[in-house]
Amino acid sequence: KDRLQSIALERVSFAYTPGEPVLREVSFTAQQGQTVALVGPTGAGKTSVLNLLQRFYDPDSGRIRINGVDLRHWDIRRLRGMTALVTQEPVLFSATLRENIFARPDQADEATVTRILQAAHCEALVQRLPLGLDTHLEKGGASLSSGERQLITIARALARDAQLILLDEATSYIDSQTEAVIHKALHNLIAGRTCVLVAHRLSTARSADRILVLHQGRVAEAGDHRQLMERRGLYWRLHRQ
Ligand code: DGT
Ligand code: MG
């Protein structure tokens, strides 16, 4: 199994439309087990960083390296196999909840299933559904709340034991109770794994090893929570809004 040691962006610039750059010389590194949080206003380029890390696009200049190797030289299936994406709009399959979480349900023993449902805080959801894990989710989980769908994708990422977690936190409104549950599940997912997360709630970024404040495609500030608060710059001002 592939081991993820490091990811690095080196002066990455990128434009969807030529002449309209959305990322400008963005650099950061994350070592195995570290979390890098991206914060900043809407349109700053946060999700675009995740798009490049998945190779939906390649940088116009600069490099992305994983374990020191240029991302363009990585086999895309190996890359996808190591990566789990937890997005704003999770896509669920019209299949059972069990099949949505475990790629090979027959190979997941009961202890593993229990552990993952616990860590992803999916137990209440499983209990609520008429057939529990074997409930068929219609239309990709249309009957579930967005918070519930997000917990399921967290469970899926845990079941795959992905090495690199790319996380785009939901912007949609969720009540504070659900938010707290998702926060705990995310904490379990991130622990010990390498993670690049787009944080819309500043509380999610707080415990990251490194926080990047993006502004108009540039890294305006970088540091951990304490350093950035002491700086009294953009990050500090975001907290006062
Ligand atoms: P958010 O999610 O609203 O907080 O904003 P970010 O920071 O995730 O922004 P991002 O990276 O989605 O967008 C940065 C800029 O790029 C913004 O001006 C919109 C533009 N953009 C994003 N996705 C696409 C795309 O697929 N095609 C084109 N042409 N432009 C895009
Ligand atoms: Mg975004």
Side-chain angles (χ1 to χ4, degrees):
K1 188 171 172 175
D2 282 317
R3 283 279 145 213
L4 183 110
Q5 283 133 23
S6 65
I7 66 173
L9 268 71
E10 299 168 1
R11 302 181 67 171
V12 166
S13 297
F14 172 69
Y16 294 99
T17 310
E20 295 173 25
V22 299
L23 295 175
R24 304 162 196 246
E25 308 227 325
V26 171
S27 300
F28 67 83
T29 59
Q31 303 299 323
Q32 197 276 322
Q34 288 189 326
T35 295
V36 171
L38 307 172
V39 303
T42 182
K46 305 180 296 294
T47 300
S48 299
V49 171
L50 299 190
N51 289 344
L52 293 184
L53 280 168
Q54 293 169 88
R55 273 210 81 193
F56 292 155
Y57 307 91
D58 285 325
D60 297 325
S61 63
R63 287 267 178 288
I64 301 179
R65 295 183 199 275
I66 292 192
N67 297 353
V69 176
D70 193 319
L71 202 53
R72 288 175 299 184
H73 299 149
W74 271 79
D75 180 282
I76 200 89
R77 275 168 310 172
R78 262 178 83 195
L79 185 70
R80 298 265 146 85
M82 283 200 325
T83 310
L85 183 69
V86 180
T87 55
Q88 294 175 323
E89 274 310 315
V91 179
L92 299 184
F93 312 114
S94 293
T96 65
L97 178 55
R98 191 189 301 276
E99 287 160 342
N100 265 282
I101 297 174
F102 301 97
R104 299 199 183 119
D106 50 315
Q107 287 177 16
D109 60 87
E110 208 172 320
T112 306
V113 172
T114 305
R115 176 178 60 79
I116 285 167
L117 293 180
Q118 247 171 19
H121 288 263
C122 282
E123 289 160 311
L125 166 66
V126 171
Q127 272 169 23
R128 182 172 76 71
L129 294 172
L131 296 176
L133 270 177
D134 295 308
T135 307
H136 197 272
L137 302 182
E138 302 298 335
K139 297 191 187 107
S143 62
L144 304 173
S145 72
S146 71
E148 288 171 330
R149 287 201 296 273
Q150 190 145 27
L151 292 180
I152 293 169
T153 57
I154 293 170
R156 186 188 288 165
L158 282 166
R160 286 185 45 208
D161 195 19
Q163 306 247 326
L164 174 62
I165 308 294
L166 302 179
L167 198 157
D168 209 336
E169 193 175 45
T171 40
S172 51
Y173 173 78
I174 14 181
D175 63 89
S176 57
Q177 206 183 334
T178 308
E179 189 181 321
V181 171
I182 290 174
H183 202 93
K184 284 189 238 169
L186 286 178
H187 181 85
N188 292 335
L189 175 62
I190 290 170
R193 295 189 171 85
T194 313
C195 178
V196 179
L197 80 85
V198 173
H200 289 281
R201 279 169 275 278
L202 289 165
S203 57
T204 310
R206 204 183 169 98
S207 57
D209 297 286
R210 195 160 180 76
I211 300 166
L212 269 69
V213 185
L214 287 183
H215 184 67
Q216 295 178 350
R218 285 185 198 282
V219 179
E221 290 176 343
D224 65 19
H225 174 78
R226 191 181 51 79
Q227 290 165 339
L228 289 175
M229 288 306 275
E230 278 173 5
R231 214 183 128 104
R232 296 200 160 220
L234 212 55
Y235 183 77
W236 177 76
R237 285 204 294 281
L238 287 172
H239 277 81
R240 288 163 53 93
Q241 279 168 8

